[in-house]
Amino acid sequence: MFNEIVSFVRNYYNEPAAFIPLHEPRFIGNDRKYVLDAIDSTFVSSVGKYVDQFEDMVKDYTCANYAVATVNGTAALHMSLLLAGVKSNELVITQALSFIATCNAISYIGAEPVFVDIDSQNLGLCTDALSDFLATECEVKNQNCYHVKTGKRIAAVVPMHTFGHPVQIDKMLEICKQYFLPMVEDSAESMGSFFKGKHTGTFGDFGAFSFNGNKTITCGGGGVIVTNNEKQAKLAKHLTTQAKIPHRWNFEHDHIGYNYRMPNLNAALACAQIELLDAFLESKRKLAIQYAVLFKELPATFVEEPTYAKSNYWLNAVLFADKIERDAFLTYSNDNHVMTRPAWQLMHKLDMFKNAICGPLTVSGKVADTLVNLPSSVLVKDSLIQE
Ligand SMILES: *Cc1c(COP(=O)(O)O)cnc(C)c1O
């Protein structure tokens, strides 16, 4: 089976011998043109037309009312959590299977992550596990939700759309409302993923996206916060730009602000990339369909998009029968210069979060032991847009 997978990947990318990376960016549109234009304009940093343009493009694409570009996805998450009202010594419910940035953002505030299990279908926060945890371990008092054993306030819920597969966000939103919990969607991996036709990140109070080099579209480093709340959007812009009161020459600031804005240079690249997004998605979907066909014949389970969603298929994933077989495949594929990798170490197993409050994490444990991410780059010849 291992050989069949590796041969399929080599064949798909038409690379009989060369190293095949997990996810390579593609700069095949207006990338150079816009970046050079930003350089020629001399507006490479805090001010420039591309930041506004990119925010407009994100609004158009996601149908969110407001978009605030940030320096990266972690900053977008941090700011979203602050605006959602998370304070130090409070708790934030999230999943143990995520990239470290989710927990880092929670920790910057001095809050603590609480880990609830994931759904075996979408690999993101499980609605049943969430509602069990809230029903058995938490109580609502004066429209606030508290963890009974520690007396700490649960300040927010952060589901993550793992590898671009949307969680059951409508049910989750209902649960959050029932417990008076704000929701911040960690949509870092889900640009181009839709839940029942509505873009991920636009269900919660805030959605945070990433445009890091390995994501579906990239601007080197970058992020964006989306929200439908005008007041919060204005505050997000203000706080991410050092909380400076606009004035032609005075330096007046009215909050402790953050240098979290996206530089215009990155925004130029981001504008070119978002133009390519639909072409990228088409190519990624073609590959995912072929992986699905391949794995129908093999004793491993390919992770397909949930029936209710349209996934961007950012990173394709397959689940092997057990950890031993999974590890053997990691060795085989990487020895053969086809890059694959396991899921992230579960967050509660890291030293910083070993004392975190956890619900049962059975599915998280199983997925972390058996999952492999497969090469998922856009096939260049598939992309319709050429310079
Ligand atoms: C990539 C990613 C982030 C952070 O994005 P950066 O832009 O690298 O800061 C956050 N959460 C998840 C789940 C991610 O995959």
Side-chain angles (χ1 to χ4, degrees):
M1 156 166 72
F2 294 177
N3 177 43
E4 280 172 272
I5 304 169
V6 164
S7 304
F8 165 81
V9 173
R10 290 214 164 279
N11 197 31
Y12 179 82
Y13 287 106
N14 199 17
E15 285 289 3
F19 171 74
I20 298 178
L22 194 66
H23 200 286
E24 249 184 342
R26 301 282 185 237
F27 303 111
I28 51 175
N30 289 314
D31 311 79
R32 278 173 191 77
K33 188 173 151 200
Y34 294 170
V35 170
L36 288 176
D37 180 52
I39 291 171
D40 289 342
S41 76
T42 75
F43 290 100
V44 290
S45 129
S46 56
V47 201
K49 67 175 184 188
Y50 286 111
V51 174
D52 296 338
Q53 195 176 311
F54 182 58
E55 288 173 346
D56 285 342
M57 290 171 99
V58 169
K59 278 192 283 183
D60 282 350
Y61 196 87
T62 62
C63 294
N65 289 348
Y66 304 95
V68 176
T70 59
V71 68
N72 57 50
T74 311
L77 271 174
H78 181 202
M79 186 51 54
S80 298
L81 290 165
L82 283 170
L83 293 173
V86 179
K87 306 230 158 40
S88 115
N89 286 316
E90 295 187 329
L91 304 175
V92 175
I93 297 179
T94 189
Q95 54 202 69
L97 186 90
S98 186
F99 178 55
I100 187 77
T102 322
C103 286
N104 279 343
I106 294 166
S107 305
Y108 297 160
I109 304 181
E112 296 163 43
V114 170
F115 301 115
V116 165
D117 213 359
I118 55 167
D119 183 308
S120 60
Q121 295 304 302
N122 59 51
L123 310 184
L125 195 63
C126 172
T127 47
D128 290 340
L130 175 66
S131 89
D132 283 352
F133 181 84
L134 290 167
T136 55
E137 302 219 21
C138 305
E139 63 177 1
V140 171
K141 272 192 292 187
N142 300 324
Q143 307 207 341
N144 276 292
C145 183
Y146 295 90
H147 180 244
V148 175
K149 215 190 259 168
T150 58
K152 292 190 179 184
R153 190 173 85 99
I154 312 257
V157 175
V158 184
M160 196 278 278
H161 304 289
T162 308
F163 308 137
H165 301 301
V167 303
Q168 289 211 327
I169 197 77
D170 55 350
K171 282 190 198 158
M172 203 164 296
L173 199 55
E174 264 175 51
I175 299 168
C176 288
K177 283 192 175 140
Q178 191 190 335
Y179 286 87
F180 302 95
L181 292 167
M183 185 203 278
V184 173
E185 292 176 68
D186 183 342
S187 307
E189 303 179 356
S190 70
M191 191 75 207
S193 295
F194 295 81
F195 177 92
K196 294 181 182 163
K198 192 169 172 273
H199 203 286
T200 51
T202 63
F203 291 82
D205 298 85
F206 301 94
F209 294 88
S210 165
F211 307 106
N212 188 40
N214 61 344
K215 297 298 196 312
T216 300
I217 55 169
T218 182
C219 59
V224 71
I225 301 166
V226 299
T227 181
N228 289 327
N229 184 317
E230 185 185 1
K231 214 176 119 211
Q232 296 279 45
K234 284 195 174 141
L235 200 49
K237 192 68 184 179
H238 186 57
L239 292 176
T240 53
T241 51
Q242 303 281 29
K244 184 179 182 295
I245 300 165
H247 189 277
R248 282 163 66 204
W249 48 79
N250 286 344
F251 283 98
E252 292 281 353
H253 306 260
D254 60 0
H255 279 89
I256 303 282
Y258 298 83
N259 185 11
Y260 275 2
R261 68 191 163 55
M262 178 187 281
N264 196 50
L265 192 59
N266 298 79
L269 189 49
C271 287
Q273 287 273 296
I274 201 169
E275 289 175 356
L276 294 166
L277 179 55
D278 281 336
F280 285 1
L281 293 175
E282 202 181 305
S283 169
K284 293 172 83 63
R285 176 160 295 270
K286 276 192 202 162
L287 170 57
I289 289 168
Q290 290 196 33
Y291 271 131
V293 169
L294 170 76
F295 283 106
K296 285 232 156 59
E297 309 299 319
L298 299 175
T301 311
F302 181 66
V303 181
E304 291 191 60
E305 71 190 346
T307 51
Y308 51 76
K310 191 156 186 200
S311 173
N312 64 5
Y313 279 108
W314 170 51
L315 275 191
N316 290 290
V318 65
L319 299 163
F320 285 94
D322 56 34
K323 188 170 190 302
I324 293 168
E325 190 174 47
R326 193 278 306 269
D327 290 346
F329 178 68
L330 284 172
T331 306
Y332 180 87
S333 49
N334 285 289
D335 279 354
N336 284 281
H337 312 291
V338 169
M339 185 176 169
T340 62
R341 61 168 204 208
W344 313 277
Q345 173 66 285
L346 294 175
M347 291 298 115
H348 68 293
K349 297 204 169 163
L350 299 178
D351 213 35
M352 305 80 79
F353 306 115
K354 62 174 189 255
N355 298 320
I357 300 163
C358 297
L361 297 173
T362 327
V363 181
S364 308
K366 174 91 182 143
V367 169
D369 278 349
T370 57
L371 184 139
V372 171
N373 283 126
L374 300 162
S376 303
S377 310
V378 164
L379 196 62
V380 177
K381 74 170 167 54
D382 266 5
S383 293
L384 314 168
I385 304 169
Q386 297 286 342
E387 228 176 326

